[in-house]
Amino acid sequence: STVAVLVFTSIHNFGHYEFQLEEEEEEEEEEEDDKFDIHVSVKDPEKIGNCVFQTTLSMFRNKTFTVRRRFSDFLGLYEKLSEKHGPNGFIVPPPPEKSILGMTKVKVGKEDSSSTDFVERRRGALERYLQRVVNHPSLLQDPDVREFLEREELPRAVSTQALSGAGFLKMLNRATDAVSKMTIKMNESDVWFEEKLQEVESADQQFRKLHALVETLVVHRKELSLNTASFAKSAAMLGSAEDNTALSRALSQLAEVEDKMEQLHQDQAENDTFCFAELIADYIRLLGAVRGSFDHRMKAWQRWQDAQTMLQKKRETEAKLLWANKPDKLQLAKEEIAEWEAKVTQYERDFERVSATVRKEVIHFEKQKAKNFKRQIINYLESLLQSQQQLIKYWEAFLPEAKAIA
Amino acid sequence: MMEEAKEETSALSVHGHNIQVTEVLKDGDTLTFLIVSPKLSGTGEYHVHRTYEDFEWMQQHLFSQEDVPGIQGVIFPPLPAKAQANPSAKVMKQLGVLGLGEWQPYCKALEAYLQQVASHRVLCKNKAVEIFLTSSDPPGKQRVKKNIFNRLSQAVEEMRKESHKDVDGFFQTERDQNLIVTGCAKNAAERFLDVMQTEQKIAVACGHFSAALHLCVEPGEDPDKQAFSKVCVKLSEVFDSMKKNMMTVAKNNVNTLGLGLDLESRYQEAEKEMLFRRTCKLVELESARRNADKAKPVKKAAMEEVKKAAETEFNQICGVAKEEIAQFKGIRMAALQQALVQWCEQQLLTAKESADQFNQHLQAFRGMAY
């Protein structure tokens, strides 16, 4: 059996993304999750405004080939998977939106760091999206997924408006509407679902707040980076205006230290962004998908209820016809009753199946959530620690220079 | 003149270098500072309470010492701008780094000022300084006669004199150099202030994030929920550490290099003012010479007197100024060196402490089950 792991490589330019899928031997200590090796690199853009992606898949060990994918192809994949698997209660991983709704201001097309940021954020988000899709045992079996990974040319995806800002919001709101419509008494398992939905909603609120706070932090760090650069320049000027040699030298060294710190602050801003801001954004989207699955469960329930109502009507019709003594119509009525009884049974089974799937998916989601956060935090701390140790080196180098004055 | 100054005993009864401003008290709109000065003879200290107006009273007395020859050649230690208990935005902007950190840096700046005045070979002899530092009663409130150094009262046309060509190469060079350095020092102080203020913003942002993480803690027995809650709690601790680290980094910046650059900037301004006073005297002298030359016989003698007086005064100022400049260079170097060394040492220590803390957090996360 195959196990794979998603891995980054370096960014070169704005433009298209290259994926490599490699299959490896299974690592026993890992869970039943399948993971793929994906190497991402970026090349020159083919068309302006178009992200083109290359996927390299090795069907056999060490064999690779490349396919190119547009951003809209990813959205198209989501559309298909959502249509097919959503109603069954699966949490279909959502792709990054075209513009990150209500979370950050995104500047597109300008040659500045925001643009590099945007490219990197999108690249990372698409990679994580694909990772989640291939991690899901049921989704991996889907022919559309296989096609996405393997086929040379994909036909252009249409109707990806559902993933525009408005469409996404609509989907999120529907789940809450459905709950408020549910007025019948609940049995035990329903209580579990209602509580879970509440948790999901409050988690959504909290995560949005966290996201906003991280983005604020990132803004300040970038500001610090700029201010540090300005200060470095002013220190250099002071140093060159100074006629005492030792002091002049020390001030120049000060300017150099500050220049190095500018870079550290910039790195830290990136660390904040890519470890946290992006992770939390992912989870806000995922929580939306979780609510979507609850929505689908509600639909299945509704269908079952409607069938029961219909069955009841048919029985009432039968009762009336018995009184009216119309044998032909009575026969029809009996056939219809049988039909609807079958439907009720089917829909009840469907509802139970969907409920079970949603439940299993949500439990899996929660497990993964703790894991993912922990892993990202470790990455973050390692990076933070590295920065700090670098900083110590800079200070240690500067101290003798400062003491040398006088 | 120099010899006379050396032979006199110290005019002050305290150790000028060890004066401290230990406390600031807020009473409505007024700030009162507690000043502690160790006695020269015996043990013990003078404890006095002074408001900013008291500082200004002393400053005015120092400025108006017309009987001291060449007094205009003195580089007066710069008094920080006035602080208010509830400062307006304008006042805060004027104060710069001194407005940060609950008046602690401001006290340090006042302290430096007092030490500089008390250690100044000319200024320490003024009785006002002794009274200011030792009298348990507040110093007199009567306004001193209009001081000759109030630059603000100088008409705009006098500013032209600033670029008046000098007769002495030494002073011309000093004026040119001072002009450049004053600008650079002010700019550096302002840019550094931006850095410190942004650091404070980051600390606040980390604090908010840390607090918000606590809201993500989910109650319940569910092991997955507990795992996530634990992650949130631990991450909250990480960001709390980050907040504390950033606050300490900012504080170190304020107390060492921040104060150092601020003092440098203000002291360079003080030198600039002295050089300007001397330049004005030069202009006056040159004008007196021309008048004496052009004077009709009737007025000639009087004009000659005026000219001689101007020459004497100018020469006295130049003499004092040269000594002051030499002293100033030493004071300023020492101050900057101390600022840079302390800055580096404190930041190095903080960086090491933070690295340890972050490492502990990292180990804690690695050790977590899951």
Side-chain angles (χ1 to χ4, degrees):
Chain A
S1 56
T2 60
V3 172
V5 164
L6 208 64
V7 164
F8 270 124
T9 57
S10 62
I11 306 171
H12 302 304
N13 289 310
F14 181 99
H16 45 256
Y17 301 77
E18 187 175 64
F19 296 91
Q20 283 173 286
L21 255 70
E22 289 168 358
E23 296 174 7
E24 289 184 348
E25 289 301 307
E26 181 168 352
E27 294 161 25
E28 288 300 335
E29 68 267 20
E30 295 293 341
E31 288 191 354
E32 62 276 9
D33 297 325
D34 288 332
K35 296 171 221 140
F36 278 99
D37 250 22
I38 297 191
H39 300 280
V40 182
S41 68
V42 177
K43 288 182 183 166
D44 295 313
E46 219 171 61
K47 278 185 206 167
I48 297 164
N50 217 5
C51 286
V52 181
F53 300 85
Q54 293 181 312
T55 309
T56 315
L57 171 71
S58 66
M59 301 300 289
F60 309 102
R61 271 194 104 175
N62 300 321
K63 187 183 166 187
T64 63
F65 68 90
T66 307
V67 297
R68 305 166 85 78
R69 294 290 173 258
R70 304 171 209 88
F71 181 67
S72 56
D73 293 333
F74 285 79
L75 301 183
L77 177 64
Y78 171 76
E79 284 278 358
K80 290 185 190 147
L81 294 178
S82 175
E83 248 177 67
K84 277 192 269 178
H85 301 281
N88 293 325
F90 289 104
I91 299 173
V92 180
E97 299 91 342
K98 279 172 183 168
S99 70
I100 304 174
L101 168 71
M103 294 182 206
T104 55
K105 299 178 195 79
V106 176
K107 290 178 222 164
V108 185
K110 273 171 76 173
E111 284 302 324
D112 62 0
S113 64
S114 311
S115 179
T116 319
D117 256 7
F118 174 72
V119 167
E120 181 53 33
R121 285 191 196 217
R122 170 167 282 191
R123 189 195 68 137
L126 288 170
E127 188 182 270
R128 292 190 303 275
Y129 163 64
L130 208 54
Q131 171 77 85
R132 288 193 183 98
V133 169
V134 301
N135 273 1
H136 198 298
S138 310
L139 294 180
L140 183 57
Q141 305 306 319
D142 189 305
D144 280 320
V145 174
R146 280 278 143 101
E147 185 185 65
F148 183 89
L149 297 176
E150 294 174 3
R151 185 167 159 182
E152 270 298 321
E153 277 277 341
L154 278 187
R156 263 195 188 277
V158 295
S159 69
T160 50
Q161 293 98 330
L163 297 149
S164 68
F168 209 69
L169 251 189
K170 244 199 276 175
M171 184 178 83
L172 299 180
N173 288 336
R174 255 183 288 136
T176 27
D177 287 345
V179 170
S180 58
K181 283 194 192 114
M182 196 167 149
T183 53
I184 62 159
K185 279 191 274 278
M186 299 204 264
N187 61 32
E188 221 174 54
S189 73
D190 289 331
V191 168
W192 186 92
F193 285 97
E194 184 175 280
E195 278 178 6
K196 272 297 162 211
L197 188 57
Q198 295 282 49
E199 282 169 25
V200 165
E201 268 161 35
S202 70
D204 177 78
Q205 269 186 344
Q206 288 150 9
F207 278 30
R208 281 180 195 274
K209 188 171 178 201
L210 288 176
H211 190 268
L213 291 174
V214 172
E215 293 286 353
T216 304
L217 179 58
V218 169
V219 164
H220 290 321
R221 285 225 204 260
K222 288 186 172 162
E223 199 186 326
L224 182 59
S225 185
L226 285 172
N227 288 344
T228 304
S230 292
F231 175 61
K233 278 202 191 80
S234 75
M237 272 167 61
L238 191 57
S240 54
E242 179 57 46
D243 48 10
N244 178 284
T245 323
L247 182 54
S248 176
R249 192 188 145 83
L251 289 168
S252 305
Q253 297 288 51
L254 166 60
E256 272 181 43
V257 167
E258 289 293 313
D259 263 333
K260 287 176 186 158
M261 293 218 259
E262 178 208 346
Q263 189 53 49
L264 279 185
H265 294 313
Q266 188 59 32
D267 293 343
Q268 192 53 46
E270 279 173 19
N271 198 20
D272 290 338
T273 305
F274 296 113
C275 275
F276 287 123
E278 287 300 283
L279 174 70
I280 296 170
D282 274 1
Y283 268 88
I284 295 170
R285 284 188 283 262
L286 280 166
L287 285 170
V290 172
R291 284 157 94 180
S293 76
F294 277 85
D295 189 38
H296 282 295
R297 176 179 172 268
M298 209 51 55
K299 279 199 204 139
W301 177 81
Q302 195 63 50
R303 194 151 69 119
W304 172 35
Q305 297 305 307
D306 292 346
Q308 283 181 318
T309 308
M310 187 58 83
L311 177 60
Q312 185 61 24
K313 276 206 193 114
K314 297 297 176 191
R315 288 196 171 128
E316 282 164 13
T317 307
E318 188 201 31
K320 283 193 198 135
L321 289 174
L322 271 170
W323 263 102
N325 194 20
K326 290 186 181 154
D328 297 335
K329 289 206 173 144
L330 192 59
Q331 181 54 33
L332 188 63
K334 283 194 196 296
E335 280 167 14
E336 282 185 347
I337 285 172
E339 181 194 333
W340 281 98
E341 274 173 347
K343 278 193 182 168
V344 166
T345 311
Q346 180 59 47
Y347 294 161
E348 184 181 4
R349 257 192 241 134
D350 282 347
F351 173 68
E352 260 145 38
R353 178 178 49 83
V354 169
S355 287
T357 303
V358 169
R359 192 177 184 128
K360 189 170 142 207
E361 289 277 278
V362 166
I363 288 170
H364 178 79
F365 170 78
E366 308 235 282
K367 253 195 182 58
Q368 289 301 101
K369 188 170 75 168
K371 263 192 188 170
N372 285 341
F373 269 79
K374 183 190 159 193
R375 189 178 47 222
Q376 279 299 81
I377 292 166
I378 288 175
N379 288 342
Y380 183 80
L381 284 171
E382 284 172 349
S383 180
L384 188 65
L385 194 53
Q386 218 177 16
S387 271
Q388 204 63 25
Q389 280 157 349
Q390 194 57 263
L391 190 60
I392 289 170
K393 286 204 183 84
Y394 295 153
W395 288 124
E396 283 174 341
F398 181 69
L399 190 55
E401 299 289 338
K403 287 189 166 159
I405 309 166
Chain B
M1 198 168 56
M2 262 295 276
E3 302 308 307
E4 284 169 12
K6 274 187 185 160
E7 278 162 14
E8 283 177 37
T9 51
S10 173
L12 287 180
S13 63
V14 302
H15 283 286
H17 294 288
N18 296 335
I19 299 171
Q20 285 184 303
V21 176
T22 56
E23 246 184 87
V24 54
L25 303 162
K26 193 167 151 176
D27 180 20
D29 266 344
T30 326
L31 290 171
T32 309
F33 303 93
L34 177 57
I35 299 163
V36 178
S37 311
K39 292 183 182 171
L40 258 184
S41 55
T43 56
E45 306 157 326
Y46 288 104
H47 288 240
V48 297
H49 288 91
R50 296 288 179 253
T51 63
Y52 190 81
E53 281 72 25
D54 297 330
F55 278 84
E56 281 181 319
W57 171 91
M58 182 178 71
Q59 185 85 321
Q60 300 284 41
H61 274 275
L62 297 176
F63 282 165
S64 58
Q65 300 178 91
E66 288 173 339
D67 51 331
V68 176
I71 187 73
Q72 294 194 52
V74 166
I75 300 174
F76 287 84
L79 178 63
K82 182 171 180 179
Q84 296 164 345
N86 304 300
S88 63
K90 189 176 166 202
V91 168
M92 285 300 273
K93 193 164 192 285
Q94 192 183 32
L95 287 172
V97 68
L98 301 183
L100 300 178
E102 292 294 315
W103 306 121
Q104 292 313 310
Y106 191 79
C107 287
K108 281 265 168 286
L110 286 178
E111 191 177 281
Y113 166 75
L114 289 175
Q115 288 178 1
Q116 286 150 10
V117 167
S119 316
H120 193 287
R121 15 165 229 117
V122 172
L123 299 178
C124 71
K125 294 183 199 162
N126 189 297
K127 282 203 180 66
V129 180
E130 173 74 15
I131 294 170
F132 180 94
L133 291 173
T134 62
S135 164
S136 46
D137 296 323
K141 293 271 191 263
Q142 58 277 60
R143 284 191 62 78
V144 195
K145 58 179 180 273
K146 174 173 175 283
N147 85 73
I148 52 183
F149 299 164
N150 189 354
R151 203 164 179 196
L152 292 170
S153 72
Q154 281 162 357
V156 172
E157 60 259 26
E158 300 232 340
M159 291 308 180
R160 273 191 298 111
K161 294 177 187 172
E162 199 157 35
S163 51
H164 185 88
K165 197 157 181 292
D166 211 301
V167 295
D168 183 332
F170 169 80
F171 280 104
Q172 185 64 61
T173 310
E174 191 62 27
R175 282 162 63 189
D176 295 338
Q177 176 71 359
N178 169 266
L179 189 62
I180 297 170
V181 175
T182 307
C184 288
K186 186 159 186 268
N187 186 38
E190 285 172 356
R191 299 288 72 76
F192 198 57
L193 181 61
D194 290 339
V195 167
M196 292 184 281
Q197 287 175 329
T198 312
E199 285 168 345
Q200 287 181 331
K201 283 188 205 169
I202 291 175
V204 168
C206 287
H208 286 159
F209 191 68
S210 175
L213 280 166
H214 272 291
L215 297 176
C216 295
V217 171
E218 294 161 336
E221 303 277 310
D222 187 306
D224 294 322
K225 269 205 250 172
Q226 283 189 335
F228 187 70
S229 294
K230 196 169 171 200
V231 163
C232 288
V233 168
K234 282 246 150 303
L235 185 60
S236 175
E237 286 169 18
V238 169
F239 271 86
D240 194 56
S241 288
M242 284 167 64
K243 169 187 155 194
K244 292 199 173 95
N245 170 50
M246 192 50 79
M247 278 171 66
T248 309
V249 166
K251 188 164 153 232
N252 293 345
N253 280 341
V254 167
N255 289 339
T256 58
L257 191 57
L259 278 176
L261 288 172
D262 173 77
L263 178 63
E264 167 73 1
S265 174
R266 288 185 295 115
Y267 229 136
Q268 290 288 346
E269 269 303 326
E271 192 197 9
K272 190 174 176 197
E273 300 199 347
M274 182 279 279
L275 291 169
F276 181 70
R277 289 193 294 269
R278 179 189 159 276
T279 308
C280 289
K281 264 302 164 200
L282 175 60
V283 169
E284 201 186 295
L285 172 58
E286 287 174 348
S287 170
R289 283 195 179 131
R290 281 198 296 276
N291 289 347
D293 289 344
K294 283 191 213 149
K296 297 194 170 78
V298 161
K299 293 251 167 96
K300 194 103 173 152
M303 289 294 111
E304 283 293 322
E305 281 299 313
V306 170
K307 186 188 91 172
K308 277 212 180 76
E311 271 172 1
T312 309
E313 205 183 345
F314 182 71
N315 289 333
Q316 282 171 342
I317 289 171
C318 288
V320 169
K322 277 206 168 109
E323 287 165 10
E324 285 286 286
I325 287 167
Q327 286 279 73
F328 172 62
K329 286 201 190 311
I331 291 169
R332 146 187 204 260
M333 279 288 278
L336 279 173
Q337 197 227 19
Q338 189 187 52
L340 286 169
V341 169
Q342 282 181 349
W343 179 61
C344 186
E345 282 174 346
Q346 285 184 22
Q347 296 293 33
L348 180 56
L349 184 64
T350 301
K352 283 182 176 164
E353 285 171 354
S354 297
D356 273 339
Q357 272 225 303
F358 295 151
N359 193 34
Q360 277 177 30
H361 287 300
L362 177 58
Q363 299 316 319
F365 266 99
R366 281 192 180 142
M368 271 168 79
Y370 254 79

